[in-house]
């Protein structure tokens, strides 16, 4: 079983879309995606600086658009889709498109709304996120409770992303739990926590107008790592995850239980293949960062990898 995974916010880097625009049809597709998301994706994916594309309103549509473009290019070259798909955080929107639950234009419209709503929610209270590496998870969670911080991303492989008020994050960094390292993340708010309640409402309203199909390939959810076979349920989970933790650890555990034999991460790739090295040891993985990586991904998808 080959699984395609779609990355979340923080994977983007300045100019990363430029190589993809050299492929036939990508410029036109990106223009349509820009209109749907209400963001100039070509501008931000080629010339905007790191601070500009860190803005949640820009980052989320940019990441999803890149995954869709890379995914389409992979299918076109391989002549088939992967056996399953999952997305990390905002990457779940790309996963829903890839599995046939919603079409690309709908996905881009939803991610535009999601990005704007989460940015607005983050602006209400100064909050942030930090990665906690290593240590005993139970001890870390107990310390978070003391500081009124929340676990936001259970990434597996000894990595937990936490979120909450900036003074509390500073206190965690100043006195880290034994055996851990705390790394502040360059994000604008406490995503996947109760601070995002207003964004949940905005996305729920947008999703209410969507008529989903059921997934055509295996689709995993960040909710608990389970497989989702109903399109309406997949959309409900997509809305709920804005204010609830991403359980990527459980997704990887489910991949292993289902007998995954390879993993392909779509652009802007790197983060999820990195987690797979620790959480899915021995499973071949390809990060599709540019079109130059497509041949290796096709080989893995078609069982031709060395």
């Amino acid at each position: 079983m080959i699984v395609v995974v779609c990355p979340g916010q923080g994977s983007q880097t300045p100019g990363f879309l430029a190589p993809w625009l050299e492929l036939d049809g990508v410029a036109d597709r990106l223009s349509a995606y820009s209109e749907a998301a209400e963001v100039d994706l070509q501008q931000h994916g080629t010339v905007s600086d790191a601070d500009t594309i860190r803005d949640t309103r820009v980052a989320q549509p940019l990441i999803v658009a890149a995954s869709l473009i890379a995914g389409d290019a992979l299918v076109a070259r391989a002549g088939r889709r992967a056996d399953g798909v999952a997305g990390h955080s905002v990457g779940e929107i790309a996963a829903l498109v890839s599995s046939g639950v919603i079409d690309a234009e709908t996905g881009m419209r939803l991610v535009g709304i999601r990005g704007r709503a989460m940015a607005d929610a983050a602006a209400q209270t100064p909050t942030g996120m930090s990665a906690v590496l290593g240590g005993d998870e139970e001890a870390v969670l107990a310390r978070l409770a003391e500081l009124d911080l929340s676990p936001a991303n259970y990434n597996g492989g000894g990595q937990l992303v936490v979120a909450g008020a900036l003074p509390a994050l500073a206190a965690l960094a100043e006195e880290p739990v034994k055996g851990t390292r705390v790394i502040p993340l360059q994000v604008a708010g406490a995503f996947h926590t109760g601070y995002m309640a207003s964004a949940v409402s905005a996305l729920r309203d947008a999703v209410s107008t969507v008529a989903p199909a059921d997934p055509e390939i295996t689709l995993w959810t960040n909710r608990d790592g389970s497989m989702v076979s109903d399109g309406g349920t997949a959309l409900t989970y997509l809305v709920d995850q804005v204010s609830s933790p991403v359980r990527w650890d459980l997704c990887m555990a489910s991949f292993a239980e289902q007998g995954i034999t390879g993993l392909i991460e779509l652009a802007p790739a790197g983060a999820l293949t990195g987690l797979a090295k620790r959480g899915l040891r021995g499973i071949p993985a390809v990060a599709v960062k540019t079109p130059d990586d497509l041949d290796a991904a096709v080989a893995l998808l078609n069982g031709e990898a060395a």
Side-chain angles (χ1 to χ4, degrees):
M1 170 180 274
I2 305 296
V3 175
V4 159
V5 294
C6 310
Q9 195 165 338
S11 302
Q12 72 280 6
T13 55
F16 79 98
L17 267 184
W20 294 100
L21 282 160
E22 297 176 9
L23 300 183
D24 289 344
V26 169
D28 290 341
R29 200 173 315 144
L30 203 58
S31 177
Y33 291 172
S34 295
E35 184 175 350
E38 300 181 26
V39 175
D40 188 340
L41 298 170
Q42 183 160 335
Q43 166 79 15
H44 293 309
T46 57
V47 299
S48 292
D49 62 20
D51 286 338
T52 300
I53 65 173
R54 191 178 293 125
D55 183 335
T56 303
R57 295 174 178 84
V58 173
Q60 293 192 10
L62 198 57
I63 290 162
V64 171
S67 291
L68 295 182
I69 288 166
D72 285 347
L74 175 62
V75 171
R77 288 204 189 183
R80 61 172 291 244
R81 284 191 285 186
D83 304 298
V85 64
H88 185 287
S89 187
V90 73
E92 282 206 320
I93 293 180
L96 263 61
V97 174
S98 297
S99 64
V101 172
I102 55 177
D103 61 36
E105 285 69 25
T106 298
M108 291 308 303
R109 180 175 66 85
L110 292 179
V111 74
I113 292 167
R114 184 185 191 272
R116 291 188 293 274
M118 291 178 73
D120 290 344
Q124 294 176 18
T125 307
T127 57
M129 303 176 80
S130 294
V132 179
L133 307 181
D136 177 74
E137 186 174 288
E138 292 303 317
V140 172
L141 292 175
R143 179 62 172 150
L144 298 186
E146 292 174 1
L147 295 171
D148 198 24
L149 292 170
S150 300
N153 301 342
Y154 290 82
N155 282 333
Q159 183 184 120
L160 179 69
V161 175
V162 305
L166 297 178
L169 290 171
L172 179 66
E174 289 167 6
E175 294 184 29
V177 175
K178 182 180 179 181
T180 68
R181 185 159 57 100
V182 179
I183 303 174
L185 302 180
Q186 296 299 312
V187 295
F191 304 140
H192 302 293
T193 72
Y195 286 98
M196 293 291 113
S198 62
V200 171
S201 297
L203 188 57
R204 181 175 291 121
D205 288 345
V207 161
S208 68
T209 66
V210 175
D214 292 338
E216 297 167 356
I217 59 176
T218 303
L219 173 68
W220 282 269
T221 171
N222 286 175
R223 182 187 185 93
D224 55 10
S226 63
M227 294 173 285
V228 184
S229 59
D230 175 77
T233 300
L235 281 180
T236 297
Y237 290 172
L238 179 74
V239 172
D240 291 346
Q241 62 109 293
V242 170
S243 63
S244 61
V246 171
R247 294 306 305 258
W248 193 251
D249 58 336
L250 298 181
C251 286
M252 289 196 294
S254 187
F255 297 163
E257 289 170 4
Q258 294 302 312
I260 183 176
T261 56
L263 181 142
I264 299 170
E265 183 181 2
L266 300 179
L272 300 182
T273 47
L275 292 174
K277 287 178 181 178
R278 297 186 293 275
L280 293 166
R281 292 185 185 277
I283 300 298
V286 174
V288 182
K289 297 182 180 181
T290 74
D292 290 342
D293 300 313
L294 287 170
D295 286 346
V298 169
L300 181 60
L301 183 56
N302 287 332
E304 301 163 359

